[in-house]
Amino acid sequence: MRSQQLKWIILLFLALIWGSSFILIKKGLLGLNPFQLGSLRIIFCATFLLIVGLKSLRAIPLHRWKYVALTSLFGTFIPAYLFAFAETKVSSSICSILNSLTPLNTLVLGSLLFGVNFKRSQFVGIIIGLFGTAILIYSGNHQVGGDNYYSFLVLIATICYATNVNLIKKHLSDVKPLSITTGNFVVILIPAIIILSFTDFNSKMNLPTTQQAMVFVIVLGVMGTGVANVLFYKLIQISSPIFASSVTYLIPLVACLWGMFDHEMLNVIQFFGAFVILIGVHLANKK
């Protein structure tokens, strides 16, 4: 399959997986606190990756492990907890929409810190995409906790994601995606276990609500984190940082559809905002 076709297939599949992650976080928080959810998400994913990708660690050169550690921190560890805390006060729909700021941060950080040059048309596409995101935010009243300050946690997470994308493209573009992903979780597995041990998880793990929440987190960890990260790193390698991070424009569409099943109806303005976002994605990746 040609690289041009493959990158669009991976992009759409990632949008489906990650767009579903926000509702999984929301359901997981019904029986777990943010520290528990973030830690279990990492632990379940690490277990899965060690089973399928342990041998792939040999492909990581010794001098590249420092970059693997950095990408594990910015790409998974910090955002896993930030999103869990954010969704205690901010709805899953709004979190998914704010996540669309990742491409803009990728552009800015890539230009300032990584020496990446972008075309004017890419910048215009990003601005249009952000305008569509603003339409969605303005037209949707999805706040559940009334504390807008928690939205800044999502903004910090997008900066982490943008840093991760640029680090992979510059320092790990020739390392196999499965090796990078497995290496990431080898690095952060022990810290996640330590954080979980300081919570009251052991005393409530047999409760029905906790066990039900863990089912959602298992799906979130294995598919939404493990499988998705392998695909995302592959996408970065065969495309560009901006194209890869453009998946965050499509994520709100999936997340809002899940919102419909969770009693959040889309209106005409929201559909228009989604259309504007797709135009932005097209322009940002137009040659």
Side-chain angles (χ1 to χ4, degrees):
M1 184 179 295
R2 291 170 52 189
S3 178
Q4 187 71 17
Q5 296 173 324
L6 180 61
K7 72 179 186 179
W8 279 102
I9 292 174
I10 294 178
L11 182 76
L12 295 175
F13 192 60
L14 280 173
L16 178 61
I17 295 176
W18 276 336
S20 304
S21 295
F22 295 92
I23 194 68
L24 291 173
I25 293 174
K26 178 180 179 180
K27 298 300 182 182
L29 287 171
L30 297 177
L32 299 165
N33 67 37
F35 281 119
Q36 293 166 346
L37 189 147
S39 296
L40 288 172
R41 178 180 184 179
I42 293 170
I43 293 169
F44 288 138
C45 181
T47 302
F48 165 73
L49 288 171
L50 286 173
I51 293 173
V52 302
L54 183 60
K55 293 182 179 179
S56 69
L57 295 177
R58 301 172 184 172
I60 304 177
L62 188 60
H63 67 282
R64 299 287 185 89
W65 273 98
K66 59 184 177 182
Y67 299 116
V68 172
L70 285 174
T71 55
S72 69
L73 182 67
F74 290 111
T76 301
F77 190 76
I78 296 176
Y81 294 102
L82 289 177
F83 275 105
F85 273 99
E87 288 203 33
T88 62
K89 297 292 184 179
V90 183
S91 75
S92 60
S93 298
I94 289 295
C95 284
S96 69
I97 293 168
L98 292 174
N99 192 49
S100 298
L101 294 172
T102 299
L104 179 59
N105 290 328
T106 302
L107 172 66
V108 174
L109 291 178
S111 300
L112 294 178
L113 303 178
F114 295 90
V116 177
N117 296 319
F118 296 105
K119 298 178 181 179
R120 181 180 300 178
S121 61
Q122 290 178 310
F123 182 78
V124 172
I126 291 172
I127 296 301
I128 292 175
L130 291 175
F131 176 66
T133 300
I135 293 174
L136 282 175
I137 294 174
Y138 177 77
S139 62
N141 184 22
H142 302 299
Q143 295 298 110
V144 296
D147 193 340
N148 292 328
Y149 289 108
Y150 276 70
S151 298
F152 286 102
L153 298 179
V154 181
L155 300 183
I156 296 172
T158 64
I159 295 174
C160 291
Y161 284 150
T163 304
N164 177 54
V165 170
N166 282 295
L167 282 171
I168 292 170
K169 189 64 179 179
K170 185 170 184 179
H171 299 291
L172 297 172
S173 61
D174 58 341
V175 179
K176 293 181 179 179
L178 181 59
S179 301
I180 299 173
T181 310
T182 305
N184 284 164
F185 283 88
V186 166
V187 172
I188 62 178
L189 175 58
I190 299 302
I193 293 175
I194 293 174
I195 292 175
L196 183 64
S197 68
F198 280 96
T199 70
D200 62 345
F201 176 70
N202 288 335
S203 64
K204 67 176 187 179
M205 63 183 300
N206 293 323
L207 296 175
T209 54
T210 302
Q211 293 179 348
Q212 185 178 21
M214 287 176 63
V215 173
F216 292 113
V217 179
I218 289 173
V219 177
L220 177 66
V222 174
M223 290 298 298
T225 307
V227 174
N229 276 3
V230 173
L231 292 174
F232 185 59
Y233 293 159
K234 177 66 175 179
L235 182 61
I236 294 172
Q237 292 175 344
I238 66 175
S239 60
S240 68
I242 285 296
F243 184 89
S245 59
S246 292
V247 69
T248 55
Y249 285 150
L250 302 176
I251 287 171
L253 305 182
V254 179
C256 288
L257 287 174
W258 277 114
M260 292 175 63
F261 289 103
D262 204 35
H263 310 294
E264 294 178 2
M265 298 301 296
L266 291 173
N267 56 42
V268 176
I269 298 178
Q270 288 172 320
F271 275 113
F272 175 71
F275 177 70
V276 173
I277 288 174
L278 290 176
I279 293 176
V281 173
H282 174 70
L283 291 178
N285 297 286
K286 187 177 180 180
K287 291 185 178 181

